[in-house]
Every structure is written in structure tokens, then in C-alpha cells.
Amino acid sequence: MMIRSVPEPRAREGEVVVKVRMCGICGSDLLFYEKGFGSLHRIMGHEFSGDIVSTGEGVEGWKVGDRVVIEPTQMCGKCAYCVKHHYNLCSSLKFTGIEMDGGFAEFVTVRAYQLHRVSDNVTYEEAALVEPMAVALHAVKRAGINPGDSVTVFGGGPIGLFVMQWARAAGAGRIFVSEISEFRIAAARKSADVVLNPEQDDVVRMITDQTDGLGPDVVFECTGANAAEVQSMTLARKGGRVIILGVPHQETKVPFGLFFKEITVTGAFAYASLLGSGEFATCLDFIGTGRIDTSMVPTTGISLEHIVSKGFECAMSSEKGKILVLP
Ligand SMILES: [Zn+2]
Ligand SMILES: [Zn+2]
């Protein structure tokens, strides 16, 4: 990981150059940081908002000065998944900020179709939170929550906190959270009904007791930790749903109960709202109309020069909410 000077990017056909205002550090960035970036040598950062500073040939509907948030997925538009609008499953999916240079920089080049317009009543900070918020929305949509359903969320980081917000919006009944970091426990208490610490509490027994001895209808696994994955499948009630959206850190053994309890385990990966519809648009709409309160997710702003010391190293400790880099 290093900071270096690179030439200012130029917009080619179908592209725009965005001046980055804020770019969030994601849990997936931390996985790359921990493992080393290998041969990638890319500029990371896929959760960013900014202003358009130049447009390439053939770009219509966008002009210099427009405020935007970038949907980082780049898809082929032609494969079997793309033709069914499952862009997040595209056979040649790429992410700005992972396979392509991203938002931990002053300027970024993106395809025009990756842009979403940010209205004047939405701040750059709120817009930079749209990407993790869209991940959470995609997962809640896949859970098919019915009004009154009891919900458990493993993990009280930014994704878990946004899952709670969307679960509430979808009509969830009681929301339970399992989290070990004191900082995140305090944040989760503002959104959840019951917050437990698996290092002190028997999470499975206590949540089962508080859901009429049945377990919750829906469980969201947002940590990627092995123990939480197993607990998710052990905890869900008969016929319940488990949504896996934390990036798994390793392979997990499937508990026996999954079989006879007829539990449905569903993966939820990213979002698929390119071309102006779907999760990003819904997030921007809900923020703009005040139906989702982004302040439920604590944020800290840092400058680009401190991205390692105050960014990645702090984010690893889980004692911060979302860290936003201001280039
Ligand atoms: Zn992310
Ligand atoms: Zn495709």
C-alpha cells in the first residue's frame, strides 16, 4: 500500500472524469490490505461521490459540475446474466476500485453508465454511503421480509447498520444484533431492539428464548466470520432464511439443523442497479426524502495522506464506523 502521483486521467469515449469528494473504506478493501495488494497495483476505493470535471465523446445527459455517485460495477451487457439484468453476476464483472483504478485519488475515470445523479439536498458524505447502503438493500430485498418478521443481524459495522435500517423500512418486527466491538454495540443500540455480545452472551439461546423458542424468521450474516456463519444457520427458525452478505473469511461447515429445519441460505452480492434503476436510485431517493437516516452509521473523515495510519489501521480495529477519505 502506498500513495503515489499519477497522471491526471482523461475521459475517452463514453467516459467521464470525476473529481472525488469522499470515498469510503470498505471491509473488502481491508481484506486486500491485509493480504497485500499482490500484482493488482490499482488505486482502490469503490464507495465515492464527487463532481464531473470532464466528459468524453458520446456522453449524453451529463455535464461538467454535475454531482454524482458512482456505481462501481462494470458489466459486459451481453452475457446470459446481463441480458436478464443480473448485472452483479455478469460473467466478466469488474469493479472500479478493485480491477480498475478507483476513488482513493483526486480524479477517477468511469463509464458514463456508472453515474447516478445526486440531488442538492443530499450531501457528498451521504452519497459516499450509498454503495454500502445499496449492498444492504440488495440483501434485504433477497430476504423477502414480511411485516412483523423477527430479524437477527450478525455484525454491527456499516453494512449491518444499513441492513437494520432497510429491515425496519421493510416492516421487520424485533431486530436482534450480535456484535463484539463496544463501539459498534453502541451504534447498533440506536437501531436494534436487543444487542448481544457473543463473547459474553449465549447468542443462540438468548435470541431463541426471545422469539417464542423458535428463533428469528430472517438472519443476516454481515461479518464473514466462521463462528457467526455457523450461528446464523443454527439460530434461524424452521423454514427460516439466512442471508449471507459478509465476505466469508474461510469455508464453513453446514450445521446438521439446516437439513431438517428446511432453512434457506441465500447469497447476496453487491447490487445490480446500473442504468438508473434499482438499489442506488432507491438509496438516493430514501436519503433525499429523509426516509433513511444515514447518521445511524457513524463516520470519520480523514485526508488521503493519512489513509494508512488513520484509515486502514483504524478500520481494522472495528472501533470506528465508516471511514471516509477526502482526497
Ligand atoms: Zn464496499
Ligand atoms: Zn455480462
Side-chain angles (χ1 to χ4, degrees):
M1 177 84 197
M2 57 188 244
I3 299 170
R4 61 191 156 94
S5 294
V6 295
E8 214 171 286
R10 276 189 47 222
R12 292 167 300 182
E13 193 178 352
E15 291 178 345
V16 306
V17 177
V18 173
K19 176 172 171 45
V20 180
R21 294 289 183 168
M22 289 209 191
C23 183
I25 297 180
C26 177
S28 65
D29 295 328
L30 296 179
L31 290 181
F32 284 111
Y33 175 68
E34 259 182 313
K35 290 186 181 142
F37 292 87
S39 58
L40 274 174
H41 291 301
R42 289 276 171 227
I43 301 171
M44 307 291 293
H46 58 268
E47 306 179 354
F48 59 100
S49 58
D51 307 303
I52 295 178
V53 289
S54 71
T55 57
E57 226 173 287
V59 172
E60 282 171 22
W62 298 101
K63 61 179 193 316
V64 171
D66 283 350
R67 300 170 78 236
V68 291
V69 60
I70 286 74
E71 182 154 354
T73 37
Q74 296 194 22
M75 41 68 173
C76 75
K78 296 188 284 262
C79 73
Y81 301 104
C82 280
V83 295
K84 291 192 169 162
H85 305 287
H86 294 152
Y87 302 120
N88 58 330
L89 306 179
C90 171
S91 303
S92 42
L93 184 71
K94 291 190 184 73
F95 279 78
T96 296
I98 299 175
E99 289 91 355
M100 323 285 284
D101 282 344
F104 295 142
E106 276 179 89
F107 300 100
V108 191
T109 309
V110 298
R111 310 287 304 168
Y113 69 70
Q114 296 178 266
L115 301 169
H116 293 268
R117 197 173 301 279
V118 175
S119 61
D120 288 340
N121 63 338
V122 174
T123 64
Y124 289 113
E125 176 175 335
E126 289 171 320
L129 293 171
V130 164
E131 196 272 353
M133 197 174 164
V135 169
L137 173 57
H138 184 68
V140 169
K141 280 180 163 185
R142 286 181 63 72
I145 291 177
N146 291 308
D149 277 357
S150 52
V151 168
T152 295
V153 180
F154 282 88
I159 295 280
L161 292 171
F162 277 130
V163 165
M164 293 169 217
Q165 300 286 308
W166 286 119
R168 282 268 183 253
R174 298 191 83 199
I175 298 181
F176 302 84
V177 174
S178 173
E179 171 59 56
I180 54 177
S181 140
E182 282 304 325
F183 179 89
R184 291 179 168 187
I185 286 171
R189 285 217 173 98
K190 293 179 184 160
S191 301
D193 297 289
V194 178
V195 184
L196 301 169
N197 182 341
E199 288 182 338
Q200 291 152 22
D201 305 315
D202 184 341
V203 169
V204 171
R205 188 183 57 77
M206 289 169 80
I207 297 176
T208 304
D209 285 351
Q210 292 184 54
T211 47
D212 302 325
L214 302 173
D217 295 284
V218 181
V219 183
F220 293 93
E221 204 306 286
C222 310
T223 71
N226 211 267
E229 287 167 355
V230 174
Q231 284 179 332
S232 298
M233 292 183 269
T234 309
L235 176 62
R237 72 171 57 186
K238 290 180 184 176
R241 287 98 75 200
V242 175
I243 315 300
I244 306 281
L245 68 158
V247 182
H249 297 176
Q250 60 199 102
E251 300 289 332
T252 296
K253 279 202 179 119
V254 173
F256 181 64
L258 187 80
F259 155 71
F260 70 84
K261 285 162 68 182
E262 291 204 334
I263 288 165
T264 304
V265 178
T266 303
F269 172 62
Y271 30 74
S273 61
L274 289 168
L275 313 174
S277 64
E279 291 96 350
F280 268 60
T282 304
C283 290
L284 286 163
D285 178 31
F286 269 61
I287 297 171
T289 53
R291 279 175 289 167
I292 282 245
D293 182 4
T294 55
S295 73
M296 288 297 191
V297 176
T299 58
T300 310
I302 59 161
S303 68
L304 185 58
E305 59 179 317
H306 295 127
I307 187 169
V308 175
S309 59
K310 292 186 184 164
F312 286 101
E313 286 301 325
C314 265
M316 301 276 280
S317 72
S318 301
E319 292 304 319
K320 284 271 186 319
K322 175 61 76 180
I323 296 178
L324 297 167
V325 179
L326 289 69

